[in-house]
Amino acid sequence: MPELLLKSIQEKVSATGQELQVCRSYFTPKKLKKRQFLLQEGDVCNRLAFVEKGALYSYSTDSKGGQHVIQFAFEGWWIADLYSFFTLEPSNLNIEALEDCELLLIDREQHQHLLAEVPKYETYIRLLYQNAYIALQRRVESTVGLTAEAKYNRLLEQYPYIVQQVPLNLIASYLGVTPETLSRIRKQSAK
Amino acid sequence: MPELLLKSIQEKVSATGQELQVCRSYFTPKKLKKRQFLLQEGDVCNRLAFVEKGALYSYSTDSKGGQHVIQFAFEGWWIADLYSFFTLEPSNLNIEALEDCELLLIDREQHQHLLAEVPKYETYIRLLYQNAYIALQRRVESTVGLTAEAKYNRLLEQYPYIVQQVPLNLIASYLGVTPETLSRIRKQSAK
DNA sequence: AAATACGCTTGACATTTATCAAGCCCTTAT
DNA sequence: ATAAGGGCTTGATAAATGTCAAGCGTATTT
């Protein structure tokens, strides 16, 4: 079974079998059941996670106990709190499994080694950041200055599968509105 | 006069004088007067800009003519529409000088060459993306699910100089609120 | 020096969205 | 099989924010 991770690296930087082997050797698998946590608020994020199977999401908690979804991660995506990962400061994010997951993890030291040892891994990571940054900027564009309805419609256009796979209350949180508001928007749009 | 760009590369990846020379040779300087555009909506973004002096900002325009500020760029920062730069699709962003600017530009082909030719440039760019991504994610955290007042206070904490240097109507747009709302928030906070 | 434009503020009012409370369906746990 | 909880919807009301209109000071232009 060719792992998604290796396929992802292969596609983006056409690494050789040899290089892929080396990369793979730095990762360790981990399984997570639905509702289990990969990272909890207050802990330092010590590893990057690649999603082989399943789905996760990250969120912060505000002073009033409200949850704010930062990111979803489906099969073939990465997830972590990069801020905590690089600064070593305690994270204020939680990363939780939306369903049963199979992950490949790499910790800080191994990530550094791999960057130095395999130039194509560095290129892969650069491209990853590049795409992640672009996607995030598009999210900011959607978020700032649009009505709740417009934000929802953009999400539907750009990431229809998110709307299908994820509970609506989390989508509401991702969009920065309450579940009630999202429910009403959907009722409107249905017409 | 040691340019900021070279200093930036030097600091992040400790490049040799030789490497810096090579990097520098790929960039071309450009001056922009206040209110001039580096990129206009509808054009393809063909180059990345490093800000040696001055300040710029990027924004999109919505169907009702409203402006939404996406990013500010001060001395030592980069600015571009990466989405357009990499996809070659026409940009829906404008990039405009907030004040007289001196930039160093690199176009797509030269950027690719440099990435391939100078490994430390690739590392530099990777770190750039990394930091840009982290900063943007923090912005998303601030944007989603906070009141206008809370967003403004976070901006004050994290980037006080933005609030000092940039007209309030642009800050309002950056935060996703109207200038009137921002004005009232500031009045409140003043107490 | 006068005229103009820009940035900011304020007030009155409209609209959007949040909050609180209740109920329903469906899944999961006991 | 029953109970419990999660996810979603709906209604009534409150709070936050937007819109429109006006005015004022300062910088910029002519």
Side-chain angles (χ1 to χ4, degrees):
Chain A
M1 59 152 202
E3 286 168 317
L4 268 184
L5 172 61
L6 299 186
K7 205 178 142 208
S8 170
I9 298 177
Q10 226 264 329
E11 277 174 6
K12 294 209 176 167
V13 298
S14 50
T16 66
Q18 169 72 20
E19 286 164 330
L20 293 175
Q21 294 269 331
V22 175
C23 288
R24 179 59 185 80
S25 72
Y26 280 87
F27 286 81
T28 57
K30 171 163 181 114
K31 293 194 179 188
L32 227 51
K33 295 233 174 233
K34 185 172 178 175
R35 280 173 221 274
Q36 281 187 322
F37 289 83
L38 176 64
L39 174 68
Q40 301 216 45
E41 215 170 329
D43 293 343
V44 173
C45 179
N46 289 314
R47 45 207 188 174
L48 309 177
F50 179 88
V51 185
E52 281 287 333
K53 202 154 190 348
L56 306 89
Y57 72 113
S58 62
Y59 63 93
S60 63
T61 321
D62 65 27
S63 47
K64 284 188 249 161
Q67 250 185 226
H68 306 292
V69 173
I70 306 297
Q71 192 201 335
F72 295 110
F74 301 97
E75 292 177 12
W77 299 27
W78 290 76
I79 192 164
D81 177 4
L82 292 181
Y83 180 76
S84 171
F85 186 80
F86 289 113
T87 63
L88 299 184
E89 284 180 34
S91 177
N92 48 16
L93 300 187
N94 299 278
I95 302 179
E96 186 177 337
L98 278 170
E99 45 191 85
D100 293 358
C101 288
E102 293 173 24
L103 309 174
L104 288 173
L105 304 180
I106 186 166
D107 69 26
R108 212 177 344 266
E109 296 72 38
Q110 291 173 316
H111 180 65
Q112 290 305 336
H113 285 152
L114 197 44
L115 283 170
E117 183 178 339
V118 180
K120 281 190 181 160
Y121 181 73
E122 169 152 37
T123 301
Y124 173 74
I125 293 292
R126 172 174 61 81
L127 292 174
L128 214 58
Y129 281 142
Q130 179 182 298
N131 294 330
Y133 179 83
I134 289 171
L136 203 51
Q137 179 156 313
R138 287 164 68 86
R139 178 173 176 194
V140 170
E141 279 179 56
S142 304
T143 302
V144 172
L146 295 188
T147 64
E149 183 173 4
K151 283 188 271 190
Y152 176 70
N153 287 330
R154 282 225 191 161
L155 184 67
L156 263 182
E157 277 173 36
Q158 290 189 8
Y159 304 102
Y161 51 91
I162 292 186
V163 180
Q164 287 164 359
Q165 295 193 6
V166 176
L168 289 182
N169 60 346
L170 294 186
I171 290 174
S173 168
Y174 181 83
L175 294 175
V177 302
T178 60
E180 291 94 332
T181 297
L182 181 57
S183 176
R184 286 170 185 129
I185 287 167
R186 284 162 57 88
K187 191 180 173 186
Q188 279 293 330
S189 303
K191 292 192 296 201
Chain B
M1 58 151 205
E3 285 167 319
L4 267 183
L5 172 61
L6 299 186
K7 205 178 142 206
S8 169
I9 298 177
Q10 226 265 328
E11 276 174 5
K12 295 210 175 163
V13 297
S14 50
T16 65
Q18 169 71 21
E19 286 163 330
L20 293 175
Q21 294 268 330
V22 176
C23 289
R24 179 59 184 81
S25 72
Y26 279 88
F27 286 82
T28 57
K30 170 158 183 121
K31 293 194 181 190
L32 227 51
K33 296 234 175 232
K34 185 171 178 175
R35 281 173 219 274
Q36 281 187 321
F37 288 82
L38 177 63
L39 174 69
Q40 299 214 46
E41 215 170 330
D43 295 342
V44 173
C45 180
N46 289 314
R47 46 209 187 171
L48 309 177
F50 179 87
V51 185
E52 281 287 333
K53 200 152 190 352
L56 306 90
Y57 73 113
S58 63
Y59 63 93
S60 63
T61 319
D62 65 28
S63 47
K64 283 188 249 161
Q67 251 184 226
H68 305 293
V69 173
I70 306 299
Q71 191 199 338
F72 295 111
F74 302 98
E75 293 178 11
W77 298 28
W78 290 76
I79 192 165
D81 176 3
L82 291 181
Y83 180 75
S84 171
F85 186 79
F86 288 113
T87 63
L88 299 184
E89 285 182 33
S91 177
N92 48 14
L93 301 187
N94 301 279
I95 302 179
E96 184 178 339
L98 277 171
E99 46 190 83
D100 293 358
C101 288
E102 293 173 23
L103 310 174
L104 287 173
L105 304 180
I106 187 166
D107 69 27
R108 214 179 342 265
E109 295 73 38
Q110 292 174 317
H111 180 65
Q112 292 303 338
H113 285 151
L114 198 43
L115 282 170
E117 184 179 339
V118 180
K120 282 191 182 158
Y121 180 73
E122 168 152 39
T123 302
Y124 173 75
I125 294 294
R126 171 174 59 81
L127 292 174
L128 215 57
Y129 281 141
Q130 180 181 299
N131 293 330
Y133 179 83
I134 290 171
L136 203 53
Q137 181 156 312
R138 287 164 68 86
R139 178 172 176 194
V140 171
E141 279 179 56
S142 304
T143 301
V144 173
L146 294 189
T147 65
E149 184 173 4
K151 283 188 270 190
Y152 177 69
N153 287 330
R154 281 225 192 161
L155 185 67
L156 264 182
E157 277 172 37
Q158 289 188 10
Y159 304 101
Y161 51 91
I162 293 186
V163 180
Q164 287 162 2
Q165 295 191 9
V166 176
L168 290 181
N169 60 344
L170 295 185
I171 291 175
S173 168
Y174 180 82
L175 294 175
V177 301
T178 59
E180 292 93 332
T181 298
L182 181 56
S183 177
R184 286 169 184 128
I185 287 166
R186 285 162 56 88
K187 192 177 171 188
Q188 280 293 331
S189 304
K191 292 192 297 203

